[in-house]
Amino acid sequence: MENETISYVTLRTNTENLSQLLRTCFLKHNISPTTSMVRWKAHGGIGMILNVDGSSIGNLGVSGFGGLIRNSDGEWVHGFAGNIGFSNILHAELLAVYHDLVLAWELNIKDLWCYSDSKTVIKLLSDHRVRLVHTLRERNTCADFLAKIGARNSEAYSRIVFSLDGMSLLLLADASGTP
């Protein structure tokens, strides 16, 4: 591959796509066709429904995403679509979920169901367990320190691998339970 470096996500996506192609080509004669009725699901009429999808013309090709929010009767509430240029399907699918959740946030929608046809995206997002808990500023000094650094930073986003100068005492105080 000419010493090309590719990310784990790209390698995984390419492997899954090739695997699916091989299954389609070689297992076709063993599969008996079945017909099933498929319809949009309103999830019992509770909450708003977000439907998202990504698209990639080739799996490193021109990619986009789209989605919509409907009420439990299936009526349009809001939607979106976007182009992300040259990317892969997993990236497009994840951006669709992200933008749909941001849109729901902006519309103050709190009770919602998000549907995606990407099992990979659903698994990636389901593997994380997050609990949101309020804390006082005094219990959040390390994050407050980093937020102030961020406000002075010229970059839109900077990943910080090691704790910064000035954080050692804050980390120690948190770890030792200092009031």
Side-chain angles (χ1 to χ4, degrees), residues 37-51:
M37 299 299 287
V38 178
R39 67 181 81 172
W40 178 77
K41 187 173 182 178
H43 206 77
I46 300 170
M48 296 291 220
I49 293 88
L50 288 62
N51 289 96

Side-chain angles (χ1 to χ4, degrees), residues 47-121:
M48 296 291 220
I49 293 88
L50 288 62
N51 289 96
V52 297
D53 201 10
S55 172
S56 183
I57 312 304
N59 195 24
L60 274 186
V62 176
S63 300
F65 57 87
L68 69 150
I69 300 174
R70 292 181 264 198
N71 66 20
S72 58
D73 294 325
E75 296 169 346
W76 173 276
V77 173
H78 221 289
F80 64 93
N83 181 312
I84 56 174
F86 200 73
S87 192
N88 64 51
I89 189 64
L90 181 60
H91 184 210
E93 296 276 359
L94 286 167
L95 276 176
V97 172
Y98 169 78
H99 285 289
D100 223 354
L101 292 174
V102 167
L103 181 57
W105 174 271
E106 290 170 354
L107 297 173
N108 200 29
I109 298 171
K110 295 186 168 79
D111 190 11
L112 52 95
W113 294 90
C114 183
Y115 288 93
S116 168
D117 61 8
S118 172
K119 287 186 178 180
T120 303
V121 165

Side-chain angles (χ1 to χ4, degrees), residues 135 137 139-150 167 170-171 174:
T135 188
R137 184 179 310 147
R139 291 186 191 142
N140 208 29
T141 56
C142 292
D144 185 65
F145 179 89
L146 291 171
K148 288 182 171 104
I149 295 290
M167 287 192 69
L170 297 173
L171 290 166
D174 285 351

